[in-house]
């Protein structure tokens, strides 16, 4: 079985974050395209989009702490919260001197993290590409799926994720709908999460889902949602696989309410990993959107 590093097609770069190695891809030059992954994926998710854009853009793809090729510390050495994720992304872009004409590409938790950064630095954002994600509270018409409820709220849910990789492994099967992931691709998606310790972030992300006032990230998500009005004139691309069991039509409708000007592409036969599921369709569309003046 290959290691996660062997699956990554690009040279590794690392930023020291309080003694922790924060991995990122940094390919190409030009206006920056910052791609922010979610849970339980990693920077590998964006490999084909990087290949498409790196000839003309600076493509930057971090692995969140605890994920991908970044360090995977215990709770004593890192606070696994939304605020920490935004702080990390902010530190990376400051380190790279990236502070203008940013296109944000966000997926899953990447929506909260990327738009959390955008809320702090709205003038830096040129375009937004949102893929099966959110930057707002759970739509009222949507209930938390049982799988997430179990992982978020029960000891047995955490045990299944940490002991059997129940979250990452399951996602690699149900996250695509058009055709199963090729075996090597599926192995690449799950490779970083190969033991109990290395699965800490996949469960902490689930436990950080804010559902009601008092939850740790609730007020921050409220602030991120309130900030979306700052981007009323920003070009927005929405790409959604409609068979996502979490980020489904209810989330897409919410994005459209916030951004009625958005260019929206819906894939009724695709799932959560829309960049993987609909690669041949959606990557050229994203590329054309980003290149457009």
């Amino acid at each position: 079985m290959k290691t996660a590093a062997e699956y990554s097609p690009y040279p590794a770069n690392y930023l020291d974050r309080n003694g922790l190695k924060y991995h990122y891809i940094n390919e190409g030059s030009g206006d920056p395209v910052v791609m922010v992954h979610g849970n339980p994926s990693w920077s590998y998710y964006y490999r084909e989009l990087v290949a498409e854009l790196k000839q003309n853009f600076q493509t930057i793809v971090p692995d969140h702490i605890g994920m991908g090729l970044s360090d995977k510390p215990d709770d004593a050495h890192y606070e696994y919260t939304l605020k920490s994720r935004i702080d990390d992304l902010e530190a990376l872009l400051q380190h790279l001197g990236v502070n203008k004409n940013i296109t944000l590409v966000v997926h899953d938790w990447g929506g909260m993290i990327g738009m959390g950064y955008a809320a702090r630095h709205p003038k830096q954002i040129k375009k937004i590409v949102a893929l099966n994600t959110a930057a707002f509270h759970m739509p009222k018409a949507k209930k938390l799926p049982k799988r997430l409820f179990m992982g978020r709220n029960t000891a047995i849910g955490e045990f299944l994720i940490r002991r059997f990789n129940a979250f990452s492994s399951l996602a690699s099967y149900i996250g695509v709908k058009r055709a199963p992931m090729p075996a090597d691709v599926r192995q690449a998606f799950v490779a970083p999460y190969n033991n109990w310790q290395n699965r800490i972030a996949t469960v902490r992300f689930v436990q950080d889902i804010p559902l009601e006032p008092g939850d740790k990230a609730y007020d921050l998500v409220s602030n991120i949602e309130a900030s979306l009005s700052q981007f009323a004139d920003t070009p927005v691309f929405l790409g959604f696989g409609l068979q996502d069991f979490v980020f489904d039509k209810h989330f897409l409708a919410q994005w459209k309410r916030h951004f009625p000007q958005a260019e929206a592409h819906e894939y009724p036969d695709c799932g959560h990993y829309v960049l993987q599921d609909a690669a041949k369709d959606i990557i050229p569309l994203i590329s054309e959107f980003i290149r457009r003046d």
Side-chain angles (χ1 to χ4, degrees), residues 59-80:
T59 58
I60 301 163
V61 195
D63 279 328
H64 307 307
I65 298 293
M67 311 201 81
L69 304 185
S70 291
D71 280 349
K72 300 172 181 65
D74 59 24
D75 294 305
H77 294 91
Y78 185 78
E79 187 176 15
Y80 285 94

Side-chain angles (χ1 to χ4, degrees), residues 97-284:
V98 170
N99 56 22
K100 62 181 179 181
N101 294 331
I102 296 171
T103 293
L104 275 177
V105 184
V106 296
H107 176 251
D108 190 274
W109 266 99
M112 290 294 190
I113 298 163
M115 293 310 297
Y117 176 86
R120 297 180 183 180
H121 306 281
K123 293 182 180 179
Q124 296 183 10
I125 307 304
K126 182 179 180 180
K127 296 182 179 182
I128 298 165
V129 177
L131 309 169
N132 286 85
T133 188
F136 39 77
H137 288 295
M138 185 89 69
K140 292 180 180 179
K142 177 72 176 178
K143 292 184 178 180
L144 186 71
K146 290 181 180 179
R147 296 185 191 100
L148 290 184
F149 178 90
M150 192 171 180
R152 181 183 186 271
N153 299 310
T154 72
I156 186 64
E158 176 167 359
F159 176 80
L160 291 172
I161 292 171
R162 299 290 295 273
R163 176 66 178 84
F164 298 105
N165 206 19
F167 198 61
S168 178
S169 180
L170 181 65
S172 70
Y173 286 105
I174 69 171
V176 293
K177 300 296 182 181
R178 281 188 175 178
M181 285 187 189
D184 61 327
V185 173
R186 196 188 77 78
Q187 289 163 6
F189 267 85
V190 304
Y193 314 114
N194 59 352
N195 60 48
W196 177 279
Q197 177 56 39
N198 287 348
R199 295 168 189 151
I200 185 170
T202 62
V203 73
R204 293 293 180 263
F205 259 120
V206 175
Q207 292 168 339
D208 198 38
I209 296 171
L211 297 178
E212 55 190 31
D215 290 342
K216 188 169 288 188
Y218 190 89
D219 289 345
L220 180 52
V221 172
S222 296
N223 293 337
I224 293 169
E225 183 167 6
S227 79
L228 296 179
S229 59
Q230 298 179 90
F231 305 100
D233 298 323
T234 302
V236 175
F237 178 105
L238 304 175
F240 269 66
L242 297 185
Q243 292 193 45
D244 190 329
F245 83 100
V246 181
F247 298 101
D248 57 11
K249 63 182 181 180
H250 301 296
F251 285 86
L252 177 59
Q254 190 89 327
W255 278 103
K256 289 179 177 178
R257 281 192 285 274
H258 283 290
F259 299 107
Q261 84 280 13
E263 175 183 332
H265 297 271
E266 303 172 22
Y267 300 91
D269 61 336
C270 293
H272 180 63
Y273 289 136
V274 67
L275 269 189
Q276 178 71 35
D277 223 0
K280 292 181 180 178
D281 296 327
I282 197 170
I283 289 177

Side-chain angles (χ1 to χ4, degrees), residues 23-34:
H23 169 261
Y24 63 97
I25 293 166
N26 185 15
E27 292 290 309
S29 60
D31 283 350
V33 180
V34 179

